[in-house]
Each structure stands twice: as C-alpha cells, then as structure tokens.
Amino acid sequence: MKNSLIQKYNIPGPRYTSYPTVPYWDENTFSKEKWIETFKKSFIESNSTEGISLYIHLPFCESLCTFCACHKHITKRHEVEEPYIETVLKEWNLYVDLVDEVPLVKEVHLGGGTPTFFSKEQLKKLIDGIFLKAKKHPNHEFSFEGHPNNTTKEQLQTLYDVGFTRVSFGVQDYNLKVQEAIHRVQPFENVERAHRLAKEIGYTSISHDLVFGLPFQTKENVIHTINKTKELQPDRISFYSYAHVPWVKGVGQRGFNEQDLPKNEEKRELYEIGKELFAEMGYIEIGMDHFALRTDSLYKATEEKTLHRNFMGYTANKTQLMIGLGMSAISDSWYGFAQNVKTVKEYQNVVNEGEIPVFRGHILSKEDLVIRKHILNIMCHFSTSWEEENLQIENINEHLNKLDEMIEDKLVFIENKKLTVPEEARPYVRNICMAFDKKLHKKQPRAKLFSMTI
C-alpha cells in the first residue's frame, strides 16, 4: 500500500518556504517603493517586541558541489572577501537609514555558498559592523553553516565570541563513491574535528545536514552515515531529500547520470530507514526533514507551538521581519517578499550606487496572507483550522475537494473546520499544502519548476 501511495503522490511540488512560492510571485504587485513600504510597516510592528531576523548570504565557494542548488560564486581568490563584506554592511546601513528605532536583532544566519570561505577577521568585521547600529535581542540565536573541510578553531571561536551558539555542518553522506559523484569529498575525521571543536568552545546547538537520494547512494550507505553521525550525537539533524533540478541550476547538477539516482520507492526507503534510526537514537521528528534531541530549542519550539518556517527553513525563532543581505538573498516582511540581484558584480554595483539591491518580489494580498497562514500551520504543526474569522478562505470547499483522495487514503483528516495530518502521512505534507495553493491551481507551470514531493 505504501509503495502505491508513493507512486500516486510523488509529483513535482513546492517546498513551501514561502507562499506564494517564488515562481508565482506577481511582478505586477511589486516595486522597490512598495517593498520599502512593507519593510517599514513590519519593522514598526515587530522590532521593539519580537525583534527581527537577518539572513546574510556569503556566496563564495572554492569548488562546486554538484548536489547544491544554491546561488554561489566559485573562486579561489580570497581578495574578494573584503569588498563583499563592505558591500553587505553598506546594504545593511541602507535599511537602517529607513527607520527611526535601533534594530533589535533576534536571529542572524550566515548561509552560502560557504561562510567559512571567509577569514575570521572578515567574519568579525561583518558582525561587528552589523551591531554598530543594532542591538542583540535578549533571546537571540545566531547560527552559521560550516564546511567541515575548512572550518577552523579560530573561525568558530571568533563567531562564538560575537554571539553565535549554533552551527550546522554539511555532511551529506560518508561513502567515498557518493562524495566523489557530488564533488564533496570530506572524511569523517574532518567532520569529527569541526564538531568537537565547536563543542569544546561552547556551541549549544550543533546540527548535521544529511541528504538522501544522492547518486549511487544505497541503504547501506545511509545506515553507515547515520551510525557515524551517532558517534558525535549532534543536537539536530536535517535529513534532506536531494532535489534534482538540473533545469534550474544547469551543469552544476549534471555531474552524474539520471540512472545513478535512487528512484521513488527505493529513495523513500532511504528516508524511512533514516527516520527509524533517528528515533532509536532519541531524536524527535520536527516538521519536514528535521530531527532534534529533546534538549534542543527546535524541539522546544515544536512543543510550545512556536515553530516557524521561512526561507532559511525551520527555525525556533519566529520573527515577522527577515531581512536578506547579500547577493541573491530574499527578504520577507510578512506582507511582501523581495529578492536581491543574483550576481556579485551587479550586487556590488547597485549597493555602491546607494540603492537597495532588490530586483523582483511579491506584495501579498489579503487572500495571500490567509492562505500563507494555513500553509505555515500545516508545514509547522501538521494541522490548521478555518474556524476563526481571520482564517476564513473564500470558497474553502474548492480547496478541500482537492483533498478527497488523500482523505480516502487516510493521509489527512478534516473535522469541525480543522485539518489534521496523522504522523504516518507526514511525508505527504507538501501534497496537502498544494491543495491550498491557489496560485498553483490557477496557473499550471509550462516547464519543470519543482523537485519531487516524496
């Protein structure tokens, strides 16, 4: 039965880090002026209470990993570091100049690319520069993505000293054949070194990012990788489905053939094996793709119903406003989305001209905001309700009718204006959200846009 359900529902679909999803942003709603207007509105509403989040995109990598779908810039020239950091700080100052209050920053995340491409001096310059005109929230949580091969003790210590307590290490898989296929060769010893250094310095939440569905990956590989992970016992584990989207990222994801990838039931088995092993190790499943120990803030956020999801994925810190700084970074004011220009050169040119470097986005309508709340509820809490007036969807039955087959297959339950996803149906959560995605149903994509849902 499980295999037939996988065949039935394993279709292309969004990951819902936003609603509307990026391919369905309506450029007609957007302008830089409208974006700034929603930014100011959101800042006034949220800064003095919950604070704001910053996502800072550090795009440089010394080599190309062929499983990665991020916006990056491949170079071994480290002289690019200083002018890039200076530009990010200029962009931040452009936002700060738009508001009267001092920004209260609750969350900072350094993503990439490879944040640990940057020297400890440049990383300190970046964070010190941010807080020349900002304050840290009393309950702040700062995190960064570390590449185990090049994360140094000095980088870890420097970031810890300026407030970072969370780090995620990209592991993917420990099998050499798989690593060679994705151009990311890193022995367990490198991960162990970086992990233990972070622990010794005082990081309170260490995450390992694993991926299933990679080329040449077998269940023996997954079991071996998870057993090695058990030796280090990270506080969180992300267990991502490899998203094969070469039509989006081109040659970077064509370093192997399609037939080298685990398919459908075979791929899903890798996840089920992982999920079972994580449970035996004491990890609790959080949302989609994430697992955490009971001592971690992500688990506590789940228990307290404060888990949030945005362009950074799941986070224990909900803030209404997230500012994306750096090339290609996406900002979210709750009322609107805006994305920065996608090349380093253009990004630096626009910022150095004194302009906020956004080039596209979407301003949410009242209907968008209601649907966004429902999708966020389903992705974070596996339930939602349309009983309250501010959660009413016009023509709700049109959406619910799209769930008829899933109700029949016992993948979702609807009773008393409330939708609930049972634990065994969590792999299908993206499919359930798609029933509420009005943009998706109104205009079907002409070309491939999304990875497979399961």
Side-chain angles (χ1 to χ4, degrees), residues 228-281:
K228 297 301 288 183
T229 302
K230 184 179 180 181
E231 293 181 27
L232 300 177
Q233 202 171 27
D235 303 278
R236 298 180 189 178
I237 296 172
S238 300
F239 195 39
Y240 294 117
S241 169
Y242 167 60
H244 190 60
V245 288
W247 55 88
V248 176
K249 292 299 175 186
V251 69
Q253 287 205 352
R254 289 199 185 276
F256 39 83
N257 296 320
E258 301 273 342
Q259 61 264 31
D260 299 327
L261 297 168
K263 300 290 192 304
N264 296 329
E265 295 89 345
E266 181 187 3
K267 181 180 179 182
R268 195 64 209 171
E269 186 185 12
L270 300 181
Y271 179 83
E272 296 296 340
I273 289 169
K275 181 179 175 180
E276 186 176 333
L277 290 173
F278 296 143
E280 291 174 6
M281 292 158 57

Side-chain angles (χ1 to χ4, degrees), residues 73-246:
H73 184 97
I74 309 301
T75 182
K76 293 185 183 293
R77 295 173 52 247
H78 283 263
E79 58 265 33
V80 300
E81 294 182 38
E82 186 169 12
Y84 187 83
I85 294 297
E86 289 176 352
T87 308
V88 170
L89 292 175
K90 286 179 183 177
E91 183 190 4
W92 169 238
N93 288 333
L94 290 172
Y95 276 106
V96 173
D97 289 345
L98 292 171
V99 296
D100 297 324
E101 294 179 24
V102 175
L104 182 63
V105 180
K106 188 174 186 181
E107 186 176 33
V108 174
H109 183 74
L110 307 182
T114 307
T116 47
F117 173 96
F118 289 77
S119 68
K120 62 172 184 159
E121 291 82 9
Q122 292 301 331
L123 291 170
K124 186 175 190 306
K125 179 179 179 178
L126 170 64
I127 303 305
D128 285 348
I130 292 292
F131 287 99
L132 281 175
K133 296 184 177 181
K135 295 185 298 184
K136 295 174 184 175
H137 192 283
N139 299 319
H140 69 269
E141 188 172 271
F142 298 170
S143 60
F144 74 97
E145 297 166 12
H147 192 318
N149 284 353
N150 64 18
T151 300
T152 66
K153 181 178 181 180
E154 291 74 22
Q155 289 169 321
L156 287 162
Q157 186 68 57
T158 295
L159 288 172
Y160 181 79
D161 290 344
V162 293
F164 284 71
T165 55
R166 281 203 60 241
V167 57
S168 59
F169 292 118
V171 173
Q172 301 20 289
D173 187 286
Y174 284 121
N175 179 267
L176 182 59
K177 185 176 182 180
V178 175
Q179 291 183 351
E180 288 175 342
I182 62 176
H183 204 231
R184 178 70 174 250
V185 176
Q186 56 185 29
F188 172 75
E189 291 72 26
N190 290 8
V191 180
E192 181 181 35
R193 175 195 57 79
H195 179 104
R196 296 201 186 284
L197 283 172
K199 204 79 173 173
E200 288 168 11
I201 287 168
Y203 282 78
T204 55
S205 182
I206 302 173
S207 177
H208 287 196
D209 296 340
L210 311 181
V211 180
F212 67 95
L214 292 169
F216 306 111
Q217 195 176 47
T218 65
K219 64 180 182 180
E220 288 76 21
N221 299 152
V222 169
I223 292 169
H224 171 70
T225 294
I226 293 174
N227 283 337
K228 297 301 288 183
T229 302
K230 184 179 180 181
E231 293 181 27
L232 300 177
Q233 202 171 27
D235 303 278
R236 298 180 189 178
I237 296 172
S238 300
F239 195 39
Y240 294 117
S241 169
Y242 167 60
H244 190 60
V245 288

Side-chain angles (χ1 to χ4, degrees), residues 323-334:
I323 302 172
L325 302 174
M327 174 204 102
S328 80
I330 297 178
S331 297
D332 176 0
S333 68
W334 182 256

Side-chain angles (χ1 to χ4, degrees), residues 24-86:
Y24 289 93
W25 286 358
D26 184 353
E27 304 298 326
N28 294 322
T29 69
F30 183 81
S31 68
K32 191 175 292 189
E33 292 72 27
K34 287 181 180 177
W35 160 246
I36 290 172
E37 186 181 317
T38 71
F39 158 75
K40 288 180 177 179
K41 173 180 168 67
S42 192
F43 184 88
I44 291 168
E45 290 177 352
S46 62
N47 179 65
S48 62
T49 52
E50 66 183 14
I52 67 173
S53 294
L54 299 182
Y55 169 75
I56 305 176
H57 191 67
L58 302 177
F60 302 113
C61 300
E62 288 196 346
S63 62
L64 178 67
C65 302
T66 58
F67 71 94
C68 178
C70 298
H71 292 285
K72 59 267 181 187
H73 184 97
I74 309 301
T75 182
K76 293 185 183 293
R77 295 173 52 247
H78 283 263
E79 58 265 33
V80 300
E81 294 182 38
E82 186 169 12
Y84 187 83
I85 294 297
E86 289 176 352

